[in-house]
Amino acid sequence: MINYNKMIFELSNSERIGYSLPREKFSEFHINQLSDNLLRKKELLLPEVSELDVLRHFTNISIKNFGVENGFYPLGSCTMKYNPKINEEMAANKAFSNLHPLQPTSTTQGALEVYYNLQTYLSELSGLHEFSINPYAGAHGELVGLMVIKAYHEDRGDFKRKKIIIPDSAHGTNPASTVVCGMDVVEIESNELGRVDLKKLKAVLNDEIAGMMLTNPNTLGIFENDICEITKLIHEAGGLMYYDGANLNALLGKVRPGDMGFDVMHINLHKTFSTPHGGGGPGSGPVGVTETLAKYLPNPRIKKLDDYYFVENSSTALGQISSYFGNYLVALRAYTYIRTLGKENLKLVGPYATLNANYISKALRTAYELPIKGYCMHEVVFNGLINKDNDVRTLDIAKRLLDFGMHAPTVYFPLLFPQAIMIEPTETESKETIDDFINVMHKIAIEAKEDPDKLKQAPTKTPIRRTDEVFAAKMMIFSYKDYLEYINNRG
Amino acid sequence: MFKYFPHTKADIESMLKTLNISSIDELFKDVPESVIFNSDYDVPSFMSESELRNHFAELSKKNQELTLFSGLGIYDHYQPAVIDAVTSRQEFMTSYTPYQPEISQGTLQYIFEYQSMIQTLTGLEVSNASMYDGTTATAEACFMACAVAKRNKILISSTLNPNTVNVIKTYLKYKELEWDFIAEKDGVVDIEDLKNKLDKDVAGVVVQKPNFYGIIEDYEGFADLIKANKSLFIVNADISTLGVLKSPKEDGADIACGECQSLGMPVAFGGPSLGYLATEKTYVRKMPGRICGYTHDLEGRRAFVLTLQAREQHIRRSKANSNICSNQSLMALFATIYLSLMGKNGLREVNNLSYQGAHYLYEKLLKTKKFTDPFKKPFLKEFTLETNIPKEAIQTALLEKGIFGGIGLDVFGEQYEGLINFSVTEKRTKAEIDNLVNILEGLS
Ligand SMILES: Cc1ncc(COP(=O)(O)O)c(C=O)c1O
């Protein structure tokens, strides 16, 4: 029922229930024995519905969503690859999901082994010495990685180094994480090829630089070919190199961040290592560091001694950044993925992803403006249509794609091009799917010329059409309670 | 060929031909030769699906599933079957953050419903779409208080879970903000010490209920003191208990935050769980994370969108209050389904059944004369006792019978020496509780 439009609260009918709880065992006790001043007075506004009501409700709203199994999902920077079913089966294993995090390690050796081995696999795949899987997402990994950098400088008694260099093409989390970590951002403009401008980089180097954050390939999908020079410059200036691993997928099988001179990095397991995005999490953002920096990794740490895995809290650690071991079951999925592919197939991820992206780049550049020529890596960024006559914008192209049963690419990011449209196909897409996408994109380019209104009106075949965002921001209806008040006031 | 890569030889050849190149390697010509990785990864060889299943069966044997009397933030509550059935739908599981509302109404609507439920449980006006966990939610609440009050010090109750304290301290330390502790008195936060420490630098005061010992603290008088000092009152509460306990709003809180794992999520070795954060609309522009709002589409149909995004990192970059991007969306769906099934009566029953079990166990343990209650304060589903029995003896004896509980609080710091925690949810049967008591009775 694609037209289904109820909120769960609107199905409510008092006395209906959707649960079955054990019967009372100890009736001599009752919550009402707590003194009145500790108990809630205000009635709760929660639905009262049957089990089937709940299932129908969520099933009906689910079909208004678009998932990776619905169709092509070329959302740049997000690496929307296939999320394998076997990962889910393993994560549902009660022998893991029923473990309490405080259980003695003698009862959790299997779980710790998975965590420990994932640490070592990530080290091997990225060329860094040691990982912590505690950070909950990419941005959390950035924050923790920057804490490592800050801890390192302060440990040396160098309290001046509080500036992090970040290219203007960087993801918003990079500057935000820097400030949350109590440091300042030095933004540098990219050169005309979309890369780090070495001259500009040199100009900002001094003894206040703590390090530099870089994505490579950068957010334009371009490999920073001066990477060795960049890391050398930063290291000579006394800084450390941070690698934003959001784009690691391009490099699997080809290049390891550690080998490029990076000292600290995070990996988005929910991108490169195939764990599902869950409509915005839970992800996982393991942080890897060089040997010198390993002592700063956050507590708790998982270590191994003579085939026994144990939990360690170290006094040299930067501190604790999560309640326990991060999003453990997400890590377990990534472990499953690595074991499924093995060293043989992991090597093919970057090359196939890159082949797919370049094939798209080549096929679309006759209709879409390709601001940076040459080969891209795992994703390609266009700056809208070449023909900008009818005021057809990137937003219109994105919305029209939805009508063709494809997810839109990432739009208006990176900020370097006003009509940026960022396409990342990933290695799990077939040539047929990509050819379909290319055809649709060309069809849209023709529509832009011949029938621009069709694009301005798009989408028309989706569960809803374009939304009134101004209304949402102005009315601030954030809950069912707000909604009821709004309806009442409207009369 | 490999099952996740659809590339046939012919596909690759034809694509290379289109690109006018003879091998994929040529696409990597921008990569300096010196950093190309030419060897084999030192990771194991691939596994078939059945090999993987066998591998996990072996790993599973090295874990021990136990009857849990353990809590301290992660609880063994009942998980209705409906939750897994719904959350495993690929439409929810595999989609990205809902940037395209036209094809993301499923996600956006449950976020709106989730926010509504957090709203009613906390009593505060607005909840965000989710935080990573209870500890980071609380740390972010502290940042928020500093941004709102334009001050730089946080007062932390000594009765907070040490995990939360540690995470707050890490966050504040690196952001170069300050903190101080409010002393505890008889197991609860001491209002006299709060009075002494409230000064013009204090941006926010963080307390927790039920607290680390399981005690339900009473914040009578707190909000007035804190407001008079122009600071913000932050209440951390296990969300499930708010089904019966006074809401943070009724406590006079400005920000409520904490853990939602108790809403239908497995203990999962600690994660993924879910953090929540709610506040009043006055402060919404300093709130971290995504927020979903109600609106309509071009044709007047009901619709939900992410809104007030100008607060967030992708727009504000270095001026943003928080760096959070991906959060724990799917876990918010767990919570939403759970609360839909339970309703207000179910939630009340869960709390009551847990209360009953915990109090039954409590009385039984006191009767053994081997345990004493150092606090004698009201509690809900977990409590802390003092004993002379070495905690190792307790743990070993229980583990032998497949039980985990009686956690020595000194794993969190030596100041807790001699204190042990028991937690009881509605899942624990009378037989299980009696068995626990029998085992402990035999120890000395
Ligand atoms: C380049 C880049 N950096 C960082 C992030 C942040 O990752 P997360 O959303 O997991 O916090 C993302 C993803 O959104 C990204 O694309």
Side-chain angles (χ1 to χ4, degrees):
Chain A
M1 272 207 303
I2 209 78
N3 293 324
Y4 178 79
N5 72 348
K6 290 278 202 298
M7 283 192 248
I8 188 77
F9 304 94
E10 293 164 336
L11 307 180
S12 196
N13 190 334
S14 66
E15 291 184 28
R16 234 168 240 164
I17 63 166
Y19 59 88
S20 73
L21 285 164
R23 48 180 69 79
E24 272 198 40
K25 301 166 281 247
F26 314 106
S27 51
E28 64 271 36
F29 302 103
H30 197 277
I31 198 111
N32 287 342
Q33 292 160 349
L34 286 171
S35 82
D36 213 38
N37 61 327
L38 299 177
L39 296 174
R40 104 169 0 255
K41 304 279 168 321
K42 192 144 165 84
E43 179 90 350
L44 285 170
L45 186 59
L46 289 175
E48 290 168 81
V49 288
S50 73
E51 187 166 312
L52 183 56
D53 287 338
V54 171
L55 279 160
R56 288 216 175 116
H57 173 74
F58 288 102
T59 301
N60 278 314
I61 68 169
S62 81
I63 60 177
K64 302 183 192 195
N65 258 12
F66 188 95
V68 171
E69 291 162 37
N70 283 103
F72 191 42
Y73 216 128
L75 198 63
S77 207
C78 302
T79 315
M80 299 300 286
K81 62 172 74 177
Y82 166 56
N83 308 141
K85 294 297 162 197
I86 188 73
N87 296 0
E88 298 310 315
E89 186 181 308
M90 297 304 112
N93 186 335
K94 297 264 186 278
F96 288 84
S97 65
N98 283 349
L99 297 177
H100 193 280
L102 289 167
Q103 274 184 226
T105 51
S106 61
T107 66
T108 58
Q109 285 295 298
L112 294 171
E113 183 175 334
V114 166
Y115 187 109
Y116 182 87
N117 284 343
L118 180 60
Q119 283 178 176
T120 57
Y121 300 157
L122 295 179
S123 283
E124 170 65 12
L125 296 172
S126 61
L128 280 161
H129 184 260
E130 207 161 325
F131 269 81
S132 161
I133 308 173
N134 294 358
Y136 288 114
H140 202 217
E142 289 174 21
L143 176 59
V144 173
L146 289 164
M147 286 173 174
V148 168
I149 292 177
K150 203 175 182 191
Y152 162 78
H153 290 305
E154 290 183 353
D155 223 15
R156 297 183 304 113
D158 190 345
F159 294 91
K160 266 196 324 287
R161 292 192 182 265
K162 291 232 169 109
K163 291 191 175 148
I164 297 286
I165 301 169
I166 299 176
D168 56 1
S169 60
H171 193 262
T173 49
N174 291 188
S177 301
T178 302
V179 172
V180 170
C181 194
M183 300 200 275
D184 296 317
V185 176
V186 179
E187 189 175 275
I188 53 165
E189 228 179 285
S190 302
N191 68 18
E192 66 290 347
L193 295 171
R195 293 190 169 105
V196 172
D197 189 322
L198 289 180
K199 247 207 223 109
K200 289 191 172 130
L201 177 62
K202 282 180 195 152
V204 298
L205 292 178
N206 57 38
D207 60 1
E208 293 179 359
I209 297 298
M212 177 175 191
M213 288 184 99
L214 198 62
T215 318
N216 195 17
N218 63 27
T219 60
L220 291 161
I222 306 285
F223 193 86
E224 297 280 356
N225 52 357
D226 289 328
I227 187 61
C228 298
E229 183 69 15
I230 296 169
T231 51
K232 190 159 154 259
L233 282 170
I234 296 291
H235 286 152
E236 281 171 2
L240 297 177
M241 284 299 290
Y242 184 94
Y243 180 74
D244 174 347
N247 291 347
L248 185 66
N249 208 49
L251 303 189
L252 259 196
K254 273 291 170 192
V255 189
R256 305 191 307 169
D259 298 341
M260 292 190 279
F262 286 95
D263 305 284
V264 186
M265 72 178 290
H266 80 263
I267 296 175
N268 304 58
L269 294 184
H270 47 299
K271 297 182 178 180
T272 309
F273 293 95
S274 84
T275 72
H277 285 73
S284 175
V287 165
V289 296
T290 56
E291 192 166 1
T292 328
L293 301 174
K295 62 177 179 185
Y296 303 114
L297 284 174
N299 287 329
R301 309 288 316 284
I302 290 175
K303 302 247 172 160
K304 180 182 179 184
L305 186 69
D306 299 336
D307 284 337
Y308 190 81
Y309 301 93
F310 62 99
V311 178
E312 183 185 88
N313 284 299
S314 148
S315 61
T316 61
L318 61 86
Q320 192 177 336
I321 51 89
S322 57
S323 53
Y324 293 100
F325 313 113
N327 283 330
Y328 179 78
L329 293 181
V330 177
L332 185 145
R333 288 174 171 91
Y335 173 88
T336 307
Y337 177 75
I338 290 174
R339 298 306 305 261
T340 302
L341 269 71
K343 59 180 165 196
E344 301 86 352
N345 294 300
L346 284 165
K347 266 180 102 160
L348 298 173
V349 170
Y352 283 167
T354 301
L355 177 64
N356 280 357
N358 277 283
Y359 182 71
I360 291 173
S361 165
K362 177 87 185 211
L364 292 186
R365 67 181 71 175
T366 51
Y368 293 85
E369 183 191 330
L370 185 70
I372 312 272
K373 306 291 182 287
Y375 294 133
C376 62
M377 299 292 283
H378 67 308
E379 62 194 0
V380 54
V381 177
F382 291 96
N383 183 27
L385 286 157
I386 293 174
N387 181 346
K388 296 198 163 51
D389 284 351
N390 287 334
D391 194 35
V392 169
R393 307 188 182 187
T394 281
L395 186 71
D396 307 317
I397 298 161
K399 296 301 184 196
R400 185 68 181 130
L401 264 171
L402 308 182
D403 276 338
F404 287 98
M406 295 180 182
H407 198 281
T410 292
V411 293
Y412 302 109
F413 175 73
L415 308 177
L416 300 193
F417 307 111
Q419 294 300 318
I421 182 163
M422 182 192 227
I423 301 164
E424 178 181 10
T426 86
E427 74 283 359
T428 60
E429 297 301 331
S430 68
K431 180 169 178 295
E432 287 89 334
T433 303
I434 292 174
D435 281 336
D436 279 350
F437 171 72
I438 290 167
N439 287 337
V440 166
M441 287 293 279
H442 280 294
K443 217 179 270 176
I444 292 174
I446 293 167
E447 284 178 354
K449 221 180 313 166
E450 293 173 355
D451 189 3
D453 199 48
K454 194 167 209 163
L455 273 71
K456 292 278 166 205
Q457 291 301 322
T460 56
K461 299 186 180 133
T462 45
I464 58 159
R465 296 186 54 201
R466 289 194 203 187
T467 51
D468 187 344
E469 314 212 343
V470 175
F471 177 93
K474 192 176 108 199
M475 300 307 289
M476 301 216 292
I477 301 168
F478 300 140
S479 65
Y480 186 58
K481 175 172 176 276
D482 287 348
Y483 170 77
L484 291 178
E485 280 164 18
Y486 161 71
I487 295 293
N488 282 339
N489 291 339
R490 214 179 43 173
Chain B
M1 294 295 290
F2 174 69
K3 61 180 172 172
Y4 304 157
F5 306 149
H7 300 73
T8 64
K9 237 192 207 127
D11 290 339
I12 295 170
E13 268 162 27
S14 130
M15 290 165 95
L16 289 174
K17 202 161 153 219
T18 308
L19 291 166
N20 275 326
I21 51 176
S22 54
S23 85
I24 297 180
D25 285 346
E26 289 178 50
L27 297 172
F28 289 84
K29 72 170 183 42
D30 285 338
V31 180
E33 196 52 48
S34 64
V35 302
I36 291 272
F37 184 74
N38 278 321
S39 24
D40 276 341
Y41 287 131
D42 183 17
V43 298
S45 188
F46 67 87
M47 273 182 169
S48 69
E49 220 164 271
S50 37
E51 283 168 329
L52 248 170
R53 287 195 176 115
N54 291 340
H55 172 59
F56 267 91
E58 287 304 311
L59 285 169
S60 300
K61 287 187 202 148
K62 302 181 194 170
N63 293 333
Q64 206 181 334
E65 271 186 85
L66 301 165
T67 303
L68 298 176
F69 283 92
S70 51
L72 295 164
I74 303 285
Y75 303 94
D76 183 28
H77 283 290
Y78 135 81
Q79 300 149 51
V82 171
I83 296 182
D84 273 346
V86 174
T87 55
S88 61
R89 290 184 67 88
Q90 71 86 25
E91 294 88 342
F92 289 132
M93 172 93 79
T94 73
S95 53
Y96 199 74
T97 301
Y99 289 136
Q100 299 288 339
E102 296 86 347
I103 50 166
S104 310
Q105 285 301 299
T107 301
L108 286 159
Q109 179 163 341
Y110 81 66
I111 293 175
F112 186 86
E113 293 172 351
Y114 163 80
Q115 290 176 183
S116 303
M117 292 169 177
I118 299 297
Q119 185 285 314
T120 192
L121 284 162
T122 60
L124 294 169
E125 288 170 343
V126 46
S127 159
N128 73 6
S130 78
M131 303 298 288
Y132 301 137
D133 74 355
T135 66
T136 59
T138 313
E140 292 252 19
C142 295
F143 283 172
M144 209 187 128
C146 291
V148 168
K150 298 199 173 66
R151 295 179 180 180
N152 62 1
K153 189 158 93 188
I154 298 293
L155 295 183
I156 307 170
S157 161
S158 299
T159 63
L160 241 62
N161 184 313
N163 278 334
T164 316
V165 173
N166 289 341
V167 174
I168 296 176
K169 274 164 56 178
T170 307
Y171 271 58
L172 292 180
K173 175 179 162 200
Y174 284 91
K175 186 110 190 254
E176 300 178 21
L177 298 165
E178 294 163 29
W179 67 89
D180 197 355
F181 287 95
I182 318 168
E184 69 168 82
K185 196 173 167 214
D186 306 327
V188 297
V189 59
D190 180 13
I191 191 165
E192 293 307 318
D193 199 46
L194 170 67
K195 281 180 198 161
N196 293 336
K197 287 181 177 152
L198 270 173
D199 62 32
K200 62 173 183 20
D201 292 330
V202 174
V205 176
V206 198
V207 298
Q208 180 187 329
K209 75 168 191 186
N211 70 18
F212 177 52
Y213 303 118
I215 297 169
I216 308 167
E217 300 193 344
D218 182 4
Y219 301 124
E220 185 70 43
F222 278 58
D224 290 343
L225 282 172
I226 293 165
K227 279 192 177 63
N229 193 56
K230 297 194 163 55
S231 314
L232 277 77
F233 187 24
I234 304 168
V235 174
N236 172 306
D238 168 10
I239 194 80
S240 162
T241 66
L242 297 181
V244 291
L245 298 184
K246 207 173 187 177
S247 70
K249 171 75 177 179
E250 291 166 323
D251 286 322
D254 300 291
I255 306 174
C257 54
E259 186 55 60
C260 297
Q261 181 273 336
S262 45
L263 301 180
M265 286 158 234
V267 289
F269 210 35
S273 65
L274 169 69
Y276 73 94
L277 192 147
T279 190
E280 300 288 24
K281 283 188 184 167
T282 344
Y283 305 131
V284 70
R285 280 172 213 282
K286 303 281 185 214
M287 189 178 211
R290 314 216 187 270
I291 298 174
C292 171
Y294 175 92
T295 187
H296 46 77
D297 78 347
L298 273 179
E299 295 179 15
R301 282 176 293 207
R302 173 181 281 185
F304 303 93
V305 292
L306 294 179
T307 189
L308 304 189
Q309 296 193 59
R311 299 164 296 112
E312 289 185 59
Q313 47 75 26
H314 60 285
I315 313 255
R316 275 183 89 79
R317 299 176 74 86
S318 63
K319 308 243 162 20
N321 264 327
S322 166
N323 66 336
I324 195 167
C325 182
S326 289
N327 42 72
Q328 303 277 117
S329 201
L330 195 71
M331 307 322 287
L333 178 59
F334 272 68
T336 310
I337 299 167
Y338 178 85
L339 289 169
S340 300
L341 291 165
M342 302 305 280
K344 56 176 192 269
N345 296 323
L347 199 55
R348 197 180 161 73
E349 262 188 67
V350 160
N351 277 291
N352 188 42
L353 292 168
S354 305
Y355 176 96
Q356 293 178 322
H359 284 74
Y360 175 79
L361 173 62
Y362 171 85
E363 303 253 309
K364 282 258 183 179
L365 286 176
L366 289 189
K367 262 195 213 124
T368 64
K369 300 260 185 327
K370 293 183 169 152
F371 298 88
T372 52
D373 180 353
F375 305 123
K376 303 196 179 57
K377 292 265 161 49
F379 63 91
L380 209 161
K381 62 184 170 189
E382 66 186 326
F383 56 88
T384 301
L385 296 179
E386 215 162 14
T387 181
N388 290 328
I389 310 173
K391 63 161 189 177
E392 293 76 16
I394 294 178
Q395 195 156 91
T396 315
L398 293 180
L399 279 181
E400 272 172 21
K401 304 280 188 228
I403 301 169
F404 179 54
I407 300 172
L409 292 187
D410 58 354
V411 295
F412 292 97
E414 49 196 52
Q415 70 269 37
Y416 301 116
E417 180 92 48
L419 297 179
I420 61 169
N421 164 288
F422 292 94
S423 170
V424 184
T425 65
E426 75 285 0
K427 275 176 75 177
R428 296 289 73 84
T429 63
K430 180 165 187 297
E432 286 168 344
I433 300 175
D434 287 339
N435 187 27
L436 176 77
V437 174
N438 282 339
I439 297 166
L440 294 178
E441 230 169 0
L443 298 177
S444 52

